[in-house]
Every structure is written in structure tokens, then in C-alpha cells.
Amino acid sequence: MSTSNTSASDQNVFDPRVAAELREKRMAKIQKTLATRHRKEKTFRWFGFSAVVIGLAFVALLFSSILYKGLPAFWQASITVPVYFDPKIIDAGPQPVQTETESPAQYKDRYIDWQTKMGMADWDAVIVNGIVSKEPALESKREELSSLYTSSEAYRIRDMLFKDPSLLGKTVDLTLLADANIDVWIAGNIDRTLPDHQQQLSPEMRSLVDSMSEQGLIERTFNMQLFSNPDSRSSPATAGLAGAFMGSLFMMLIVIFISIPIGVASAVYLEEFAKKSWLTDIIEVNINNLAAVPSIVFGLLGASIFISWMHLPISAPLVGGLVLSLMTLPTVIITTRASLKAVPPSIRQAALGLGASRVQTVFHHTLPLALPGILTGAIIGVAQALGETAPLLLIGMSAFVANVPMSPLDQSTALPVQVFLWQGNELRNFFEGRTAAAIIVLMALMISLNSFAIWLRKKFEVRW
């Protein structure tokens, strides 16, 4: 009985009509769910596309805001005047020349006395005379004219005469930076409708500045001193990025020469030569954990080891470079190992099969093929270190430094720290734009490094 039922069911299964009916039922069921699946797929794509658009919109908003505030800061109010080095005002006499009968000490005393007289000359009168000679109608405004330009310009023309005493009695056209408050007023970074007691300039000074601006005596020119001067507190208008740029440059060189060779060598050993054991497992876990450690922890480590224990100079690019090298090492190791893993095992096997040693296989075949990824990871790690601020604050690089460092042992600051310092400056109307300009310079460097990494990857990339 059961045998006959089984054979009947088998016949129904292999019956073409029954099979067709089953296929139609399955297709009908698929058709019912197909519309739902397509709708879900479209919804997922829409959410993904919306996320990308929103992300790009925020990035565009960020960049446009920085550019809107920062680009005007590359131009600054200035006054171009014919400066006459008047011997009647600069009455220190010619530069001393050592005679044959004079000892070095006697000559030094005379030279210091000459420098003192030069420093006591009325350099402001020299500049004001130049402005009046360009516009005689300003003769009655001499007191206001001495407040037009930033205070460091008097020292600049004094130093010019120190370097070239032959300028005495000559006229030189010089472009002088206007005072920071003058620049803020001309740039429109302050509300002109505010009452007089809230304005940074007196009514007479504001009227004079507007009049000279209309006449073209005061104009906004590209400010090269932003790139050639260090930071300044006594003369905010001349504050520049040269000191911070050189500090960042020294630190990046230290990071490149320490973290990249050590990181690549460590990754090659761990990936190609080290035997799998509990020790290598511990090392790999710690490397992965170090990559996730907050950067400020590396700053604490650097302050305790390099400054407190090794007694290296505070606020020096050498210490900053060592701290950033420690922070960059895990990134370089992880990216290098990932690049080595991406090389097909067949290349290693072919090299070994042809008689190459393990070292020859790694350095002649595996490493060259992994080079694009290694370079990309290394440069991205360096770019990340370039933008770090927190670890540098803990090793004293937030100190005010008025000189451009000439070596990694000199005191310095860095570009991201300079942004931090300017952002908190009390002259906010002036330094808000300058802060955005410093951010533009920093982002331009980081984008250049990332672009260079992409170019290297494309240049050395090998497809297999």
C-alpha cells in the first residue's frame, strides 16, 4: 500500500504539468517579494547617497567658511611712502671704522655708542616726514600720522640703516604695514555704528583713515610678512607664521627619519620573518592598541621621558618630533603590514622556488610590490602628525616664541599650535581672519601631502 502511494507521488513530481505548476507557484511567490526587495534596495541607495551629499555639504560649508574668513587676511592695509634718511634727524654720524692704533675693545665701545645714538634717533619723525612729503595737506596731522603704522616699522628702517649705512641721506620707497586697529577698520571687521566709547579708534583717527583710504594713500596689499615674520605681541600687524612653519618643518623631518624607517622595518620583520608565538601576538595587540590611544597621552609620555628624564629642551622641535614619531609609529606599522599582506603568496612561492633566499624574496620582490601602499600609509601618518596639537601643548610648544628657529634644538611652536594661540588672542577682530589664514596654510600643506601620497601610489602601483 505504501509502495503504491510512493510511486504515485514520484510520478506526480516528474509529471511535466505538475512541475510547471510548482514552477509557476515559485515564480509567483518571487514576483510578490521582488517589488519589496527592489523598494528596499532603492531606499538603501537613497540613504547612502543622502549621507554622501550631507557629508560633502558639511565639508563644503567648512571650507567655504574658512576661505571666507581667511582669504582677506592675506591682504593687509599698508602705506607706501618715500622715506628720507635725514642726517639732521639721524645725527649719530657715520658708522665707526676701526683704526690701526685702536684696540678691538676701544672700537667695540665706539661702535656700541654709535648704535645707541642710532637707536635714540626719532625714527617716527623720519616716517611721518615721508608721509607728509607724499601728501603735504597732512602736515597738521603729524600726531595722528605716527599712529597709522605699526610700531615695529620704526625699528625696521633703523635696522635697514644698520645693515647699509650708505642709505643715510638717501630716499627709499617703503611699504609700511598699517596698525592692526587701522586694518580692522578699513577691512570692515568692526561695526562702524558702535558708539565712540566702544570703538578702538578715536573719531579724528577714523576720519583721517577714511580720507587717506579714499585718496589711495592707504591700500590693501598682499602681506608677504605673514609668511616671513615670526609671531609678535608688541606689533600684532607684523605677526607671521615663519616661526611656526619652521618648527613644523623640523618636526616633520624628525618624524620622517625616525618613524618611517623604524615602522617599516618592524612591519617587515613581524610580517615576513617573525615566527607566530605568544610574544608576537602580544606585540601585535599592543601595536593595534597604541594606534587607538589619544594623542594627548603621547604628549604626557613625551613630557615625562624626553623632558623630565632626558632633560631635552622644552618647546624644542626635537622633542615635538620625537613625540609625534611615537604617535605615528603604529600607523606606519599597520599600513605597512597591510601592504605586505596584499602581495599575492604566489610571488613569494615563485621566488623561493627559483632558489631565492627569504631575505632576497622579501627585499627584491615583496617589498617593491608593497611600496605604493607603504608610501601612502607613511605620508598619511606624517600628515596626521602635522595637524596634531594636544601632544605639543604638553611639552611646552604653546609658549610665545618671537624668533624663527634655526635648528631642532631652538625654541619654537608649530602651525596647529599657532592657530590655537591666535584663536585666543584678545584682539579678536584682527586675529580671527589671521587664524583662518593660518588654517588655510595648514590645510594646504596637509592636502599637498595627501595628494603626493596618491600620486606615489598611482606611480608605483602594480596590478596582478
Side-chain angles (χ1 to χ4, degrees):
M1 189 74 177
S2 60
T3 305
S4 61
N5 289 337
T6 303
S7 61
S9 63
D10 290 342
Q11 290 177 358
N12 290 335
V13 171
F14 290 103
D15 189 344
R17 288 177 297 177
V18 175
E21 290 177 1
L22 293 174
R23 188 163 53 250
E24 289 177 1
K25 288 180 180 180
R26 286 196 297 268
M27 291 300 297
K29 188 180 293 185
I30 292 173
Q31 289 295 334
K32 288 181 181 180
T33 60
L34 192 60
T36 303
R37 286 187 290 167
H38 284 174
R39 185 171 60 253
K40 290 181 178 179
E41 183 180 357
K42 289 181 180 179
T43 303
F44 178 77
R45 289 183 178 180
W46 184 84
F47 275 117
F49 179 76
S50 300
V52 173
V53 171
I54 292 173
L56 291 176
F58 277 112
V59 171
L61 179 63
L62 173 65
F63 274 81
S64 60
S65 175
I66 294 174
L67 292 174
Y68 175 76
K69 293 180 180 179
L71 287 179
F74 289 103
W75 282 263
Q76 193 165 338
S78 61
I79 313 166
T80 302
V81 296
V83 175
Y84 173 58
F85 291 87
D86 192 348
K88 295 180 180 178
I89 299 176
I90 311 168
D91 56 354
Q95 181 178 358
V97 179
Q98 186 175 5
T99 61
E100 296 180 356
T101 59
E102 190 177 31
S103 67
Q106 292 173 332
Y107 169 71
K108 184 178 180 180
D109 290 339
R110 284 201 307 121
Y111 186 80
I112 293 176
D113 182 62
W114 175 77
Q115 281 187 320
T116 303
K117 291 181 180 179
M118 289 278 286
M120 295 178 65
D122 192 354
W123 296 100
D124 286 317
V126 174
I127 297 176
V128 171
N129 287 344
I131 300 174
V132 172
S133 67
K134 189 172 184 179
E135 183 55 51
L138 298 174
E139 176 66 40
S140 61
K141 305 281 187 179
R142 282 185 169 269
E143 186 175 349
E144 289 87 351
L145 292 178
S146 61
S147 301
L148 280 176
Y149 51 88
T150 186
S151 59
S152 64
E153 296 295 4
Y155 302 111
R156 181 162 74 96
I157 64 171
R158 180 201 64 186
D159 293 340
M160 289 177 59
L161 191 58
F162 276 148
K163 293 179 180 179
D164 186 7
S166 65
L167 290 176
L168 190 65
K170 296 182 180 179
T171 301
V172 180
D173 287 334
L174 296 177
T175 299
L176 310 177
L177 288 179
D179 185 74
N181 292 327
I182 305 294
D183 181 76
V184 168
W185 177 260
I186 293 178
N189 294 335
I190 191 171
D191 187 1
R192 297 196 171 205
T193 62
L194 292 174
D196 289 344
H197 69 276
Q198 294 183 0
Q199 294 286 356
Q200 296 165 321
L201 300 175
S202 64
E204 296 79 12
M205 196 67 185
R206 298 199 300 270
S207 176
L208 174 63
V209 171
D210 288 337
S211 175
M212 294 182 66
S213 179
E214 291 174 0
Q215 298 175 26
L217 297 176
I218 300 179
E219 55 185 358
R220 291 181 64 81
T221 57
F222 188 78
N223 183 18
M224 285 300 300
Q225 296 193 40
L226 180 65
F227 303 97
S228 60
N229 286 356
D231 194 12
S232 175
R233 289 181 178 174
S234 60
S235 178
T238 61
L241 295 170
F245 179 83
M246 289 302 298
S248 292
L249 178 62
F250 283 131
M251 286 191 294
M252 290 308 102
L253 290 175
I254 293 171
V255 170
I256 290 172
F257 286 108
I258 292 180
S259 66
I260 294 180
I262 295 177
V264 172
S266 301
V268 170
Y269 175 77
L270 289 173
E271 189 63 30
E272 300 292 339
F273 296 102
K275 295 180 180 180
K276 295 297 180 182
S277 64
W278 62 270
L279 180 59
T280 57
D281 291 339
I282 292 176
I283 293 174
E284 290 178 5
V285 169
N286 280 279
I287 289 173
N288 293 328
N289 288 336
L290 283 175
V293 170
S295 60
I296 196 168
V297 176
F298 288 97
L300 291 170
L301 178 66
S304 61
I305 293 179
F306 299 127
I307 294 178
S308 299
W309 183 53
M310 299 179 66
H311 302 291
L312 294 177
I314 297 176
S315 188
L318 175 62
V319 179
L322 292 173
V323 171
L324 296 179
S325 296
L326 292 176
M327 192 190 70
T328 308
L329 266 176
T331 302
V332 176
I333 294 173
I334 291 172
T335 55
T336 301
R337 294 192 66 183
S339 300
L340 293 171
K341 288 179 181 179
V343 178
S346 58
I347 293 178
R348 297 179 178 86
Q349 295 167 2
L352 294 171
L354 292 174
S357 66
R358 191 66 178 271
V359 174
Q360 289 174 327
T361 300
V362 171
F363 287 96
H364 294 176
H365 302 281
T366 307
L367 202 56
L369 292 175
L371 187 61
I374 294 173
L375 292 174
T376 301
I379 294 175
I380 290 176
V382 172
Q384 179 187 2
L386 177 63
E388 286 294 338
T389 307
L392 302 182
L393 296 177
L394 293 178
I395 59 172
M397 297 198 75
S398 60
F400 172 74
V401 180
N403 298 316
V404 178
M406 294 292 105
S407 74
L409 295 175
D410 295 336
Q411 285 191 332
S412 174
T413 184
L415 284 174
V417 178
Q418 190 67 69
V419 172
F420 172 78
L421 294 174
W422 280 356
Q423 190 276 334
N425 193 282
E426 57 188 11
L427 190 56
R428 188 168 181 82
N429 289 338
F430 180 75
F431 276 99
E432 184 177 16
R434 191 151 289 204
T435 300
I439 293 174
I440 292 174
V441 174
L442 178 60
M443 292 180 64
L445 290 175
M446 297 182 68
I447 292 173
S448 299
L449 285 173
N450 283 280
S451 301
F452 184 57
I454 294 173
W455 178 80
L456 285 176
R457 185 178 62 198
K458 294 295 183 182
K459 180 177 177 62
F460 295 104
E461 189 173 17
V462 178
R463 298 185 181 273
W464 44 72

